[in-house]
């Protein structure tokens, strides 16, 4: 008789034990599939938030400022030929958007109190199209294009605005050290208040137009960096090299870095989550392994006389072990199928329940629970469950097949 047909019949004949083992496997599979989908969705949301938060897919800077992680020399070694670089990059079919950025530090005052800020000069319309900052405005409005690069408007983080005691419509003074080392100041209207997800950023955030930043810094058109969004994020490394070579051919010297290199916070959170979920997966595997091994041990014990009869009829030990292994794999496969159905049903229920989770790292507000369908988690869950049931079946089967025939036949 075919070993798989024999295994299927034995699984049906020992229905109670098979259902117990299959239930353990199905619940273990569903847990792995759901946690994998949740983790994948968390990583995707964190990645997209990092990219749209201002990092972009690629960043081009002056080679002399490439290693300046703090950005303190960003304008002293800025991109003076940024307009040519922007034109060259926007002419590439794989480039979605190029955003000029001017990053600087200074003091913001309403005439009575002065508070440090971390400022960024942006192209308001390009920022509105591609980044999250304009959607974080909770009071007032986002920056407007203005007349050329001369609009003196600012959007403040809610923490910075609260500390200064200003609201939209009021005028503040930005003071910053110019590229030449001279303290300069301009007046600007507060047009919006934004609530940023990270409190430390919210307490210091200031966004203004490129023109206003250029005026206060006396940068003469230089910018700190170019943030580039590409059409195919999966090819970020290849596109970085290709676009860098394109600028080199245009005679524009730049250094390029990709978002995985720049997003230190993303890497740290990803490693933390992988460690936690990996540990939980290992614990779940051990639970399934021990529970299934206990069940299969009871199955082989109850069938000791059957094993002795097969041995007496000439069946070799290896064949008996194959019978039990095939039975375990059959139960494991059916359990995984049931677990996949269970995971899909639970996923649909949880996604429709609109459950709010506590804010993850880097987020200030609760986020809705959403579990993504992640095929890799299902495949990995099936592999882990099958491996667990094979190990759990092989050990008692090997022990039972090595028992003397006389003792097996006399077993009660």
């Amino acid at each position: 008789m075919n070993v798989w047909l024999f295994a299927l019949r034995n699984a049906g004949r020992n229905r109670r034990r098979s259902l117990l083992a299959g239930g353990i496997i199905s619940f273990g599979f569903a847990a792995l599939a759901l946690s994998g989908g949740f983790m994948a969705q968390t990583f995707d949301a964190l990645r997209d938030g990092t990219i749209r938060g201002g990092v972009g897919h690629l960043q081009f800077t002056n080679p002399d400022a490439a290693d300046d992680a703090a950005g303190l020399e960003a304008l002293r070694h800025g991109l003076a030929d940024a307009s040519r670089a922007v034109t060259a990059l926007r002419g590439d079919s794989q480039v979605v958007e190029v955003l000029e950025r001017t990053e600087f530090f200074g003091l913001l005052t309403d005439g009575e109190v002065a508070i440090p800020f971390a400022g960024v000069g942006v192209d308001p319309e390009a920022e509105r199209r591609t980044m999250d900052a304009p959607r974080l405005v909770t009071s007032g409005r986002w920056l407007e294009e203005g007349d050329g690069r001369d609009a003196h408007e600012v959007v403040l983080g809610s923490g910075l605005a609260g500390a200064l005691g200003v609201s939209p419509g009021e005028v503040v003074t930005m003071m910053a050290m110019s590229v030449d080392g001279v303290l300069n100041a301009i007046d600007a209207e507060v047009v919006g208040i934004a609530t940023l997800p990270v409190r430390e950023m919210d307490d210091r955030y200031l966004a203004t137009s490129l023109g206003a930043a250029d005026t206060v810094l006396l940068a003469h058109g230089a910018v700190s960096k170019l943030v580039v969004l590409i059409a195919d994020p999966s090819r970020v490394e290849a596109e970085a090299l290709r676009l860098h070579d394109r600028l080199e051919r245009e005679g524009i010297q730049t250094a390029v870095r990709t978002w995985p290199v720049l997003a230190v916070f993303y890497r740290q959170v990803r490693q933390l989550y992988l460690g936690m979920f990996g540990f939980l997966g290992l614990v779940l595997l051990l639970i399934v392994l021990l529970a299934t091994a206990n069940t299969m041990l009871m199955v082989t014990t109850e069938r000791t006389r059957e094993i002795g009869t097969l041995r007496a009829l000439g069946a070799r030990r290896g064949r008996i072990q194959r019978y039990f292994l095939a039975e375990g794999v059959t139960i494991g496969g059916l359990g995984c199928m049931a677990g996949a159905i269970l995971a899909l049903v639970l996923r649909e229920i949880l996604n429709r329940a609109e459950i709010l989770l506590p804010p993850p790292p880097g987020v200030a507000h609760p986020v809705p629970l959403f579990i993504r369908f992640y095929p890799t988690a299902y495949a990995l869950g099936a592999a882990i469950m099958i491996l667990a049931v094979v190990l759990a079946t092989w050990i008692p089967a090997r022990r039972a097949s090595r028992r003397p025939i006389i003792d097996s036949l006399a077993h009660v």
Side-chain angles (χ1 to χ4, degrees), residues 38-391:
F38 174 72
M39 183 170 66
Q41 175 63 25
T42 301
F43 287 163
D44 287 349
L46 185 61
R47 179 199 62 206
D48 294 343
T50 299
I51 291 169
R52 293 196 308 269
V55 175
H57 293 123
L58 305 172
Q59 289 189 9
F60 290 86
T61 60
N62 187 310
D64 295 331
D67 296 327
D68 180 24
L72 298 177
E73 300 292 329
L75 278 178
R76 189 166 297 174
H77 300 292
L79 285 170
D81 206 11
S83 59
R84 283 185 58 213
V86 169
T87 302
L89 291 171
R90 285 181 174 165
D92 192 281
S93 61
Q94 295 301 310
V95 173
V96 174
E97 186 59 271
V98 182
L99 300 98
E100 298 175 78
R101 288 286 178 86
T102 300
E103 296 178 346
F104 61 104
F105 302 93
L107 291 174
L108 190 68
T109 178
D110 62 351
E112 297 180 0
V113 180
I115 298 178
F117 69 84
V120 56
V122 299
D123 179 344
E125 290 305 314
E127 201 80 7
R128 190 194 309 274
R129 289 193 300 268
T130 56
M131 293 296 171
D132 281 343
R135 289 182 282 275
L136 299 176
V137 175
T138 54
S139 176
R141 60 171 174 82
W142 179 245
L143 305 168
E144 291 184 350
E145 190 69 30
D147 182 14
R149 295 163 65 105
D150 297 328
H152 292 183
E153 299 179 341
V154 293
V155 171
L156 305 180
S158 59
L160 177 59
L164 203 59
V166 296
S167 57
E170 298 187 39
V171 176
V172 294
T173 300
M174 282 193 298
M175 296 183 292
M177 197 69 68
S178 72
V179 176
D180 298 326
V182 177
L183 182 63
N184 195 23
I186 63 170
D187 291 333
E189 179 186 358
V190 178
V191 295
I193 307 296
T195 302
L196 275 71
V198 180
R199 181 173 180 178
E200 288 75 12
M201 294 177 59
D202 192 57
D203 291 342
R204 295 290 178 263
Y205 179 77
L206 180 149
T208 188
S209 66
L210 288 167
D214 188 80
T215 300
V216 73
L217 297 170
L218 304 176
H220 308 294
V223 298
S224 306
K225 63 181 67 171
L226 300 180
V227 176
V228 178
L229 299 175
I230 60 176
D232 186 2
S234 64
R235 301 187 68 253
V236 64
E237 297 289 346
E239 291 299 323
L241 293 175
R242 188 180 66 80
L243 293 174
H244 180 264
D245 290 342
R246 176 168 182 161
L247 293 179
E248 290 283 333
R249 290 194 298 272
E250 295 282 343
I252 305 171
Q253 300 297 317
T254 61
V256 60
R257 287 182 290 180
T258 61
W259 77 266
V261 174
L262 294 164
V264 177
F265 179 75
Y266 170 83
R267 295 200 307 271
Q268 292 174 340
V269 173
R270 181 182 174 87
Q271 291 171 359
L272 174 64
Y273 276 29
L274 286 174
M276 290 192 303
F277 282 106
F279 176 75
L280 292 176
L282 179 61
V283 171
L284 182 60
L285 172 61
L286 291 175
I287 292 173
V288 171
L289 179 62
L290 293 174
T292 308
N294 181 63
T295 302
M296 298 308 296
L297 179 61
M298 290 187 290
V299 170
T300 54
T301 301
E302 291 175 353
R303 294 165 61 184
T304 301
R305 296 184 68 181
E306 176 187 333
I307 295 171
T309 302
L310 290 173
R311 290 287 314 283
L313 292 174
R316 296 181 177 275
R317 293 172 178 173
R319 186 171 183 82
I320 292 174
Q321 291 179 26
R322 285 196 297 274
Y323 280 146
F324 278 93
L325 286 175
E327 184 177 340
V329 171
T330 300
I331 294 172
L334 294 174
C336 288
M337 291 175 60
I341 296 172
L342 177 62
L344 291 173
V345 171
L346 289 176
R347 172 182 172 271
E348 190 67 21
I349 293 173
L350 292 172
N351 287 347
R352 289 176 178 270
E354 298 183 357
I355 300 172
L356 293 178
L357 298 176
V363 178
H365 306 289
V367 295
L369 172 65
F370 183 83
I371 300 174
R372 174 184 152 193
F373 175 69
Y374 189 45
T376 303
Y378 284 71
L380 183 61
I384 290 175
M385 292 300 105
I386 295 296
L387 175 62
V389 78
V390 166
L391 291 175

Side-chain angles (χ1 to χ4, degrees), residues 6-23:
F6 187 77
L8 187 60
R9 287 186 175 182
N10 274 330
R13 184 162 60 90
N14 298 276
R15 190 175 295 108
R16 180 169 57 88
R17 302 296 188 194
S18 298
L19 287 175
L20 179 59

